[in-house]
Amino acid sequence: MPKKITIEPVTRVEGHGKVTIHLDEEGNVVRSRLHIVEFRGFERFIQGRPYWEIPVLVQRLCGICPVSHHLAAAKALDVVVGAGTGHGLSPTAEKVRRLMHYAQIFQSHSLHFFHLASPDLLFGIDADPAVRNIIGVASAHRDLAVQGVMMRKFGQELIFATAGKKIHGTGAIPGGVNKNLSAEERDKFLNGKEPLNSKKMIEWAQSALELFKDYYQKNKDFIDTFSVFPSNHLSLVRKDGALDLYHGVLRAVDSEGKKILHDVEYQEYFNYIHEEVRSWSYMKFPYLANLGEQKGWYRVGPLARLNTCDYIPTPLAQKEFEHFKALTHGKPNNMCMHTHYARLIELLHAGEVINLLLNDADLQGEELVRKGEKKPEGVGVIEAPRGTLFHHYSVNEDDQVTMANLIVSTTHNNEPMNQAVNYVAKAVMTGQKEITEPMMNAIEVAIRAYDPCLSCATHALGAMALEVELQDYTGCVIDTKKK
Amino acid sequence: MTDSKKILLYGYGNTTRQDDRLGIEFIHRMQEWLFRRHHDAVDCKTSAQLNLEDAEEVAAYDIVILVDASVDHVTDYSFSKIETEATPAFTTHTVSPSNLLKLSRELYQGNPEIYLLQIQGYEWDFSEQLTIGATANLEKAVTFAQKKISELQSHP
């Protein structure tokens, strides 16, 4: 009997998702989908609000990555207030924002690795789910769990110092920031009591990388073959090709490394990136316009960023980058599980950037805001922890927002995640007579590598009721469950 | 008051999703009352959701009352003690109260009594206003909590 197997909800992923897997009469996987069941409405909600409210208001999208939205919105409104398209802020303003952003990257990457990915890596994807979670890590590897929490705390404290609050801060405003970083605050992070100082964070980021590399050596076959499929990759890069998570130009490469989007300015992103709507999901499917809907989809996030950039401008992360690139002889890496490796290299890079910025006297500067001739429209793009984030606003003469378009990282990864689900489902479920929990978790492992934030992607709430639906090959509902 | 139990009131929710702001509104109301009554041993905290790092903070308290909107059907509000350390929640986007208790014990050797005060909400669209029904439930929950705090403080 052909059947549809549903994994609902996807565990250890921010937000909620439903996976449906369709089997034919012989038990072969014929189709798999990641469904997003919530609705979008935030863009409509903010219309009519004065533009200066937006950097604060837009953070309500999500409690996990609010800083990314805060900064992307501020960057878009920098254009509106005449502060330029990325390099028009004062040195103090730009560096305070960069510090805020890299703190966000640091805490988010720490959270993901230690609390979402490490249970699989430490216990194995076939382990008992009662153990294969952060509580299990806390019980069996207490020091590691404490380290993960402290790394997140360090990032959160730095966000508090730069944004004014840990979640839904107010530090970035159109044209700049509303506070600098005092010398006292700087010293707290540079020379703080162990372990909460920047040097210890770099050391711990290095040890996290070593933990992964050790796991990789022992599980190379799994890491190198789990959910591998060719794709395009997109991200911001600095104009000289360096990794830059705060600002840059848009670059995309294909699975062989050939450039398919040539370092374009993002203010007219809509000329290069279109969005497709599909009937079975509330999330859109972005694609590169020059390649079309079928071939134009792409990955964003840590793996994509290390595939598009030419180098990393901090020494320890650059060294790790060279090892990483050597695995694929300099070509793009299309191995899904290497996203964890890439994320940890970025974690180290973020730690180094934070340390560098804390030693920069511009952070204590007094010039915080710049403005010029107002414009009716602005786009802000940033590399959020999960990938490229677009905020686009139009503002009328009464300073009200009249149009908002947000393309969040997880939306860009919509098609890659579907590809990943389909690839893994076919690999682990085809021909099997018994569907086990580890098989179902394998699907989720593929999705979690993308670190999707489904609340952001659909601008929805956290805990709501979820529904499981089992359909046969005719579409008839066989079983329904609710959680 | 040196022997008073140290209490944390922790409300959380999304303030742009109508009744999901109940936990936050509750804390605002209680802060006014606590200030008038000079309840020094009671602290207040708000957040968008529970976070893993909250485990360190709650470990330092004797009693923690978590306050959230309820999407399930409770009558006005419900108050329950978190006793069991259930299977962890499926996402760290919303750390469950039982996870918080478990982590505070495992990582920080704390052993707070954790209670969950759930206030019934009705609508969750994009708005910054509570519904009439949620507002009424908030009043009842605040009245209950004020009695409970006074009771807890008078029996250290």
Side-chain angles (χ1 to χ4, degrees):
Chain A
M1 164 83 61
K3 59 181 178 177
K4 179 168 124 173
I5 297 162
T6 300
I7 301 171
E8 175 129 30
V10 177
T11 60
R12 274 179 283 129
V13 155
E14 270 77 48
H16 309 260
K18 179 170 79 173
V19 174
T20 58
I21 301 166
H22 298 257
L23 303 180
D24 66 14
E25 292 177 341
E26 283 78 44
N28 298 311
V29 172
V30 294
R31 190 172 62 251
S32 310
R33 283 175 177 158
L34 173 64
H35 297 259
I36 307 301
V37 299
E38 294 102 351
F39 64 95
R40 298 180 72 166
F42 201 86
E43 286 106 329
R44 288 197 310 276
F45 170 62
I46 60 176
Q47 287 179 27
R49 304 293 285 251
Y51 71 82
W52 52 82
E53 284 188 359
I54 301 307
V56 174
L57 192 57
V58 78
Q59 294 178 83
R60 286 348 187 233
L61 279 166
C62 182
I64 294 293
C65 45
V67 169
S68 303
H69 289 293
H70 182 54
L71 291 172
K75 289 184 77 182
L77 296 167
D78 290 341
V79 180
V80 169
V81 300
T85 56
H87 296 293
L89 303 188
S90 70
T92 299
E94 174 160 343
K95 288 172 185 178
V96 167
R97 284 192 187 179
R98 279 182 176 272
L99 188 59
M100 194 191 305
H101 185 52
Y102 280 89
Q104 162 83 353
I105 296 287
F106 193 83
Q107 68 83 13
S108 178
H109 281 3
S110 300
L111 174 70
H112 179 270
F113 181 73
F114 285 101
H115 303 139
L116 297 182
S118 71
D120 284 336
L121 301 180
L122 289 170
F123 300 117
I125 67 171
D126 295 336
D128 183 355
V131 172
R132 189 171 21 89
N133 53 67
I134 181 55
I135 304 299
V137 174
S139 300
H141 302 273
R142 182 182 174 277
D143 287 351
L144 190 67
V146 171
Q147 187 175 314
V149 174
M150 299 308 304
M151 290 175 82
R152 174 161 155 89
K153 183 175 178 178
F154 179 82
Q156 295 282 61
E157 292 292 332
L158 205 36
I159 290 169
F160 179 79
T162 50
K165 288 167 70 173
K166 287 179 190 175
I167 296 180
H168 304 159
T170 57
I173 58 176
V177 294
N178 61 15
K179 71 179 286 292
N180 63 12
L181 192 78
S182 70
E184 188 184 352
E185 287 170 326
R186 171 205 62 202
D187 291 341
K188 175 183 155 186
F189 295 105
L190 263 185
N191 308 314
K193 185 182 161 188
E194 290 281 307
L196 292 175
N197 58 68
S198 55
K199 285 194 177 57
K200 179 58 85 174
M201 292 302 126
I202 291 173
E203 188 185 309
W204 277 357
Q206 286 178 298
S207 67
L209 252 172
E210 292 309 311
L211 190 156
F212 178 85
K213 285 154 74 176
D214 180 64
Y215 177 84
Y216 177 47
Q217 287 310 314
K218 294 171 184 166
N219 298 275
K220 195 171 187 301
D221 280 347
F222 165 64
I223 298 287
D224 283 351
T225 59
F226 186 87
S227 186
V228 178
F229 53 89
S231 77
N232 304 316
H233 304 269
L234 178 142
S235 81
L236 289 178
V237 294
R238 206 165 67 184
K239 283 189 174 175
D240 66 349
L243 177 71
D244 190 327
L245 303 179
Y246 176 74
H247 187 67
V249 291
L250 282 174
R251 177 185 288 184
V253 299
D254 68 13
S255 60
E256 291 297 312
K258 179 185 158 202
K259 267 193 206 175
I260 48 179
L261 192 61
H262 298 258
D263 297 7
V264 299
E265 295 288 342
Y266 61 67
Q267 287 301 315
E268 295 185 352
Y269 72 94
F270 38 81
N271 290 335
Y272 308 104
I273 295 171
H274 294 175
E275 294 181 88
E276 180 196 357
V277 174
R278 295 184 192 170
S279 61
W280 48 269
S281 177
Y282 280 103
M283 220 159 65
K284 292 185 182 178
F285 291 78
Y287 61 95
L288 290 165
N290 60 338
L291 295 180
E293 292 167 5
Q294 296 303 312
K295 294 183 179 177
W297 58 274
Y298 50 83
R299 284 189 244 214
V300 299
L303 189 67
R305 291 192 282 252
L306 296 203
N307 284 332
T308 54
C309 77
D310 298 328
Y311 72 99
I312 298 182
T314 54
L316 297 174
Q318 168 64 14
K319 192 172 168 192
E320 295 294 340
F321 177 68
E322 289 163 13
H323 292 148
F324 178 84
K325 293 300 279 188
L327 294 175
T328 53
H329 309 289
K331 295 271 190 188
N333 187 320
N334 292 289
M335 297 180 276
C336 172
M337 293 302 284
H338 285 240
T339 307
H340 296 300
Y341 191 179
R343 188 174 287 113
L344 290 172
I345 294 174
E346 286 193 340
L347 177 68
L348 176 58
H349 171 60
E352 291 183 280
V353 169
I354 288 169
N355 191 56
L356 281 169
L357 283 169
L358 287 171
N359 282 287
D360 190 328
D362 279 341
L363 283 179
Q364 286 81 54
E366 297 293 329
E367 188 193 5
L368 303 182
V369 180
R370 287 183 181 170
K371 289 183 181 178
E373 184 185 334
K374 266 187 72 181
K375 305 273 192 302
E377 196 170 344
V379 177
V381 178
I382 203 163
E383 285 296 324
R386 292 158 179 81
T388 322
L389 172 62
F390 291 71
H391 279 226
H392 179 187
Y393 303 101
S394 294
V395 176
N396 65 16
E397 290 174 354
D398 296 323
D399 293 338
Q400 294 168 310
V401 172
T402 55
M403 186 283 297
N405 186 40
L406 280 56
I407 310 178
V408 304
S409 324
T410 298
T411 301
H412 294 287
N413 276 334
N414 197 359
E415 181 60 29
M417 286 192 290
N418 273 276
Q419 293 276 335
V421 165
N422 202 42
Y423 181 98
V424 176
K426 284 183 174 175
V428 302
M429 288 185 171
T430 289
Q432 295 298 321
K433 292 181 182 173
E434 182 186 357
I435 308 300
T436 64
E437 198 280 335
M439 286 179 190
M440 296 175 86
N441 190 56
I443 303 290
E444 295 170 30
V445 166
I447 295 171
R448 283 196 296 271
Y450 291 88
D451 190 12
C453 184
L454 300 178
S455 285
C456 277
T458 56
H459 313 170
L461 184 55
M464 300 290 278
L466 296 167
E467 189 169 314
V468 177
E469 196 169 87
L470 192 66
Q471 295 180 0
D472 66 17
Y473 69 100
T474 67
C476 185
V477 176
I478 301 170
D479 191 17
T480 303
K481 287 187 179 60
K482 280 188 180 177
K483 180 178 168 112
Chain B
M1 293 288 270
T2 53
D3 292 336
S4 293
K5 288 187 177 176
K6 221 173 143 207
I7 300 173
L8 174 67
L9 298 180
Y10 185 176
Y12 48 98
N14 188 329
T15 56
T16 60
R17 297 303 295 267
Q18 280 190 292
D19 293 347
D20 201 48
R21 69 185 298 128
L22 274 165
I24 310 293
E25 289 295 331
F26 172 91
I27 295 298
H28 292 162
R29 292 288 305 279
M30 290 299 291
Q31 280 175 321
E32 293 169 16
W33 180 78
L34 290 166
F35 179 73
R36 287 198 303 271
R37 296 294 184 101
H38 306 289
H39 276 290
D40 296 331
V42 182
D43 293 332
C44 289
K45 179 182 169 80
T46 60
S47 184
Q49 74 272 321
L50 296 180
N51 298 292
L52 289 166
E53 62 270 20
D54 291 338
E56 185 182 14
E57 193 170 353
V58 305
Y61 287 88
D62 299 305
I63 294 173
V64 177
I65 300 177
L66 304 174
V67 190
D68 190 13
S70 175
V71 297
D72 299 318
H73 296 295
V74 300
T75 306
D76 305 333
Y77 65 88
S78 73
F79 184 74
S80 57
K81 188 173 181 184
I82 305 299
E83 297 276 10
T84 56
E85 293 154 11
T87 303
F90 68 89
T91 169
T92 57
H93 190 68
T94 52
V95 176
S96 71
S98 60
N99 276 358
L100 202 59
L101 175 62
K102 178 70 171 175
L103 285 172
S104 72
R105 287 177 179 168
E106 290 286 338
L107 298 184
Y108 303 106
Q109 290 76 52
N111 196 22
E113 292 175 30
I114 297 186
Y115 297 89
L116 180 61
L117 174 60
Q118 291 185 285
I119 309 173
Q120 182 64 51
Y122 302 100
E123 292 179 24
W124 317 96
D125 209 337
F126 287 106
S127 167
E128 291 174 298
Q129 300 296 322
L130 288 174
T131 57
I132 294 171
T135 303
N137 294 338
L138 173 63
E139 294 300 325
K140 292 173 187 170
V142 166
T143 301
F144 164 79
Q146 288 168 353
K147 286 183 188 156
K148 194 71 186 172
I149 298 281
S150 299
E151 179 187 302
L152 289 169
Q153 293 296 62
S154 63
H155 296 97

